[in-house]
Amino acid sequence: MRGSVLDFDPRSGSGIISGGDGVRYTFKGVDVQNNFEKIRAGVNVDFEAVEDQATAIYPVAPSAGQVGEKSKVAAGLLALFLGGLGIHKFYLGQTTAGIIMLLVSVLGAILLFIPTFIVGIIAFIEGIIYLTKSDEDFYQTYEVGKKAWF
């Protein structure tokens, strides 16, 4: 059966999977068959259901059409061309980071555009990072992990 990890606590070694059938299954880290380090909330998995327990859990990469809601190409291009305004942050749902970049850029005019230039460089670097990541890494880092900077 296919499903998605809702929660996983590596300290206790237990978690919850939402199965494709709408049922929630508990699991233990020892039931993860490979790539244990990839198990975290949002990861798609294939597993066997035994009553309310998930066993024989395998992390699977989402198919090309299921990678995520946000396009890494769109985020990368926004960062490269409008990044100084933080538009790429708003696109990724990182409102606080977007507001910070926007304010620094606009208020940077007071300080001879030096802060604006610095924010533009940061955005350019982020755009390159977005475009060079694999679809799975982009999804895990920026959609699941909600990483805001670099």
Side-chain angles (χ1 to χ4, degrees), residues 74-87:
L77 292 176
L78 286 170
L80 291 175
F81 295 108
L82 298 171
L85 299 174
I87 304 300

Side-chain angles (χ1 to χ4, degrees), residues 119-135:
V119 166
I121 291 172
I122 290 170
F124 184 80
I125 292 168
E126 287 182 331
I128 300 296
I129 291 170
Y130 294 164
L131 293 171
T132 57
K133 283 190 173 286
S134 70
D135 290 338

